[in-house]
């Protein structure tokens, strides 16, 4: 008779996510994952595969939880300026939350992309492009609705917002203060008034 899983898969992936987020891909060992996930090596391999496959699942979990929550916060207001402010401040909240390792798992993983195979590199790059595309779609919708200037270049503005979001996570890891980074948020949101 086949044995059934005796663990919450999502919770185990969240635990693995925090390890990769803190230590990076290369710095995370199978022993680290065993300790964090509360599973032995055989159970990990049987349920999730090797380290690279676990990382891929973790990135999916990160997009579905952390990134999705930021997008939901942005979309929870009809005002595009307030939405962008919520998106960027939400990213700061995650960075400064002491329950998280700080920074952004996606950004930190892209910075160590030489440690990943082509498929993983492509997946991480696609996630960032997806964020930019989503921002551009929201900005275009707001522009059509008359909330933004007709002359606003939604593509370059979306690039600026996505770049700011990623850059703030790096700056946060370099010990820039929340107050300093909030000024950056305000500066970026003010670009929508032009």
């Amino acid at each position: 008779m086949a044995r059934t899983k005796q663990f919450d898969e999502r919770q185990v992936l969240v635990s693995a996510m925090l390890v990769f987020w803190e230590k990076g891909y290369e710095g995370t060992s199978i022993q680290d994952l065993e300790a964090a996930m509360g599973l032995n090596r055989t159970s990990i391999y049987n349920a999730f595969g090797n380290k690279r496959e676990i990382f891929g699942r973790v990135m999916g979990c990160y997009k579905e939880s952390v990134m999705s929550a930021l997008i939901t916060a942005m979309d929870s207001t009809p005002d595009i300026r307030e939405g962008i402010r919520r998106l960027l401040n939400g990213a700061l909240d995650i960075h400064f939350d002491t329950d998280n390792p700080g920074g952004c798992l996606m950004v930190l993983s892209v910075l160590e992309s030489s440690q990943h195979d082509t498929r993983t590199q492509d997946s991480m790059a696609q996630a960032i492009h997806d964020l930019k595309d989503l921002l551009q779609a929201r900005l275009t919708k707001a522009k059509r609705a008359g909330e933004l200037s007709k002359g606003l270049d939604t593509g370059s503005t979306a690039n600026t917002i996505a770049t700011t979001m990623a850059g703030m996570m790096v700056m946060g890891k370099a010990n820039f203060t929340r107050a300093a980074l909030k000024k950056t948020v305000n500066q970026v949101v003010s670009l929508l008034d032009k």
Side-chain angles (χ1 to χ4, degrees), residues 100-111:
N100 294 325
C104 167
L105 175 62
M106 192 75 63
V107 171
L108 298 173
S109 297
V110 167
L111 293 175

Side-chain angles (χ1 to χ4, degrees), residues 134-170:
L134 183 140
L135 288 167
Q136 185 171 354
R138 299 304 194 274
L139 292 168
T140 299
K141 180 180 175 185
K143 183 177 170 180
R144 285 187 187 133
E147 295 177 57
L148 299 171
S149 163
K150 291 183 183 192
L152 182 78
D153 181 338
T154 58
S156 64
T157 303
N159 274 337
T160 299
I161 295 166
T163 300
T164 299
M165 192 169 165
M168 287 191 320
M169 297 300 93
V170 174

Side-chain angles (χ1 to χ4, degrees), residues 32-172:
D32 294 329
L33 293 172
E34 285 179 295
M37 297 167 88
L39 300 172
N40 65 40
R41 189 174 301 224
T42 302
S43 295
I44 290 173
Y45 287 141
N46 287 339
F48 302 103
N50 63 26
K51 179 178 159 182
R52 190 166 307 285
E53 292 168 318
I54 297 166
F55 182 78
R57 298 276 301 274
V58 159
M59 291 307 281
C61 180
Y62 186 82
K63 288 184 238 179
E64 292 167 9
S65 57
V66 176
M67 294 305 293
S68 178
L70 292 172
I71 300 306
T72 298
M74 178 180 70
D75 289 342
S76 67
T77 177
D79 179 70
I80 189 65
R81 290 167 184 80
E82 181 58 26
I84 297 300
R85 186 181 312 281
R86 286 183 186 184
L87 172 78
L88 295 174
N89 281 328
L92 288 181
D93 290 343
I94 290 167
H95 170 73
F96 286 100
D97 181 345
T98 56
D99 289 336
N100 294 325
C104 167
L105 175 62
M106 192 75 63
V107 171
L108 298 173
S109 297
V110 167
L111 293 175
E112 65 171 14
S113 66
S114 64
Q115 300 167 19
H116 299 285
D117 63 10
T118 303
R119 187 182 72 174
T120 305
Q121 289 174 357
D122 290 347
S123 174
M124 290 185 298
Q126 187 59 53
I128 292 175
H129 283 276
D130 289 347
L131 172 63
K132 182 265 177 189
D133 291 345
L134 183 140
L135 288 167
Q136 185 171 354
R138 299 304 194 274
L139 292 168
T140 299
K141 180 180 175 185
K143 183 177 170 180
R144 285 187 187 133
E147 295 177 57
L148 299 171
S149 163
K150 291 183 183 192
L152 182 78
D153 181 338
T154 58
S156 64
T157 303
N159 274 337
T160 299
I161 295 166
T163 300
T164 299
M165 192 169 165
M168 287 191 320
M169 297 300 93
V170 174
M171 302 290 268

Side-chain angles (χ1 to χ4, degrees), residues 169-194:
M169 297 300 93
V170 174
M171 302 290 268
K173 288 296 266 185
N175 297 321
F176 279 69
T177 66
R178 182 190 288 256
L181 294 173
K182 278 195 172 277
K183 288 180 183 178
T184 301
V185 170
N186 293 335
Q187 186 70 32
V188 169
V189 172
S190 75
L191 294 175
L192 300 178
D193 293 332
K194 295 180 180 179

Side-chain angles (χ1 to χ4, degrees), residues 19-33:
V19 175
F20 281 118
W21 196 345
E22 180 179 357
K23 295 185 171 202
Y25 180 81
E26 186 174 334
T28 298
S29 68
I30 290 295
Q31 292 84 359
D32 294 329
L33 293 172

